[in-house]
Amino acid sequence: MSVEKVALVSAGGSGMGAAAARRLHRDGYRVGILSSSGKGEALAHELGGFGVTGSNQNGDDLQRLVDGALERWGRIDVLVNSAGHGPRKPILELTDEDWHKGMEVYFLNVVRATRLVTPAMLRQKSGAIINISTAWTFEPTAMFPTSTVFRAGLASFTKIFVDTYSGDNIRMNNVLPGWIDSLPATDERRDNVPLRRYGTSEEIAATIAFLASDGAAYITGQNIRVDGGVTHAV
């Protein structure tokens, strides 16, 4: 009897998160989606799964997502952590509250969800966690100060996590999107991309699906740039 695989998507109501949910469903996963807008719950029902309307900044809402998957399907194979948008201001105009908000949006969203799904993955001796980060994690930009600061922290968290849990066959990787079509398009930004176009949410979803698959079983602790060449590996 084949095992029914299960994927959870946090902040999956629109954009890259929703595209990832659709792609994973197409690849045969049962899907649970959390989003604050209600769109994720609607999408989950469309895909034959279940949804939770709530915030990935709220541990109780994330717990409802995890519990819902375990009650229905008894396992969690994949967690995709997407995110909303944190504060953007000139660097010294960001208040303490802005920085705390950025940490909630871009860093603690992953920490909380990872803490909740890891026990199920430990029981299975398998699991894949994929975090949607940013192309500017290692080349910080003043355009996205809270995003780049806390996603640099996410890269460090990822390394510590895989050092701790890889022996239990639990993997974690970060996808680093550049300019994607879920963002407002400008000619200046497009022309700065070596491929001379914005990427698509579906291209990010395809990368996520690969990292979730058996074909990526030896890939963990990595930060995968999907940005048309905007940034450069060192």
Side-chain angles (χ1 to χ4, degrees), residues 61-78:
D61 292 341
L62 285 164
Q63 187 72 64
R64 285 194 290 141
L65 180 71
V66 170
D67 289 347
L70 294 175
E71 288 164 6
R72 286 167 175 80
W73 302 306
R75 61 185 297 116
I76 298 168
D77 298 281
V78 174

Side-chain angles (χ1 to χ4, degrees), residues 73-218:
W73 302 306
R75 61 185 297 116
I76 298 168
D77 298 281
V78 174
L79 169 66
V80 178
N81 289 305
S82 187
H85 299 285
R88 291 176 56 188
K89 297 177 184 175
I91 188 76
L92 294 183
E93 292 181 17
L94 289 159
T95 65
D96 287 0
E97 290 74 19
D98 290 331
W99 286 110
H100 283 292
K101 179 67 173 177
M103 181 170 67
E104 289 280 347
V105 171
Y106 296 122
F107 179 68
L108 288 178
N109 66 313
V110 172
V111 174
R112 289 191 186 97
T114 298
R115 188 187 293 133
L116 292 174
V117 303
T118 298
M121 292 179 173
L122 284 170
R123 289 192 295 271
Q124 299 159 192
K125 289 293 182 182
S126 67
I129 301 172
I130 300 125
N131 307 313
I132 300 177
S133 183
T134 177
W136 294 277
T137 294
F138 303 108
E139 297 181 27
T141 170
M143 284 188 292
F144 308 114
T146 58
S147 172
T148 55
V149 166
F150 288 111
R151 281 161 161 168
L154 176 58
S156 294
F157 174 83
T158 297
K159 179 63 168 69
I160 296 168
F161 180 86
V162 302
D163 285 350
T164 307
Y165 290 103
S166 291
D168 297 293
N169 197 31
I170 303 173
R171 300 182 293 111
M172 179 183 283
N173 291 289
N174 300 320
V175 175
L176 278 54
W179 298 116
I180 302 300
D181 61 4
S182 58
L183 298 168
T186 70
D187 290 342
E188 180 182 4
R189 290 173 180 175
R190 186 198 63 229
D191 292 344
N192 192 44
V193 178
L195 281 177
R196 296 294 188 269
R197 66 174 179 87
Y198 272 50
T200 68
S201 296
E202 288 72 25
E203 287 169 325
I204 301 302
T207 305
I208 290 168
F210 168 66
L211 291 171
S213 74
D214 292 341
Y218 204 54

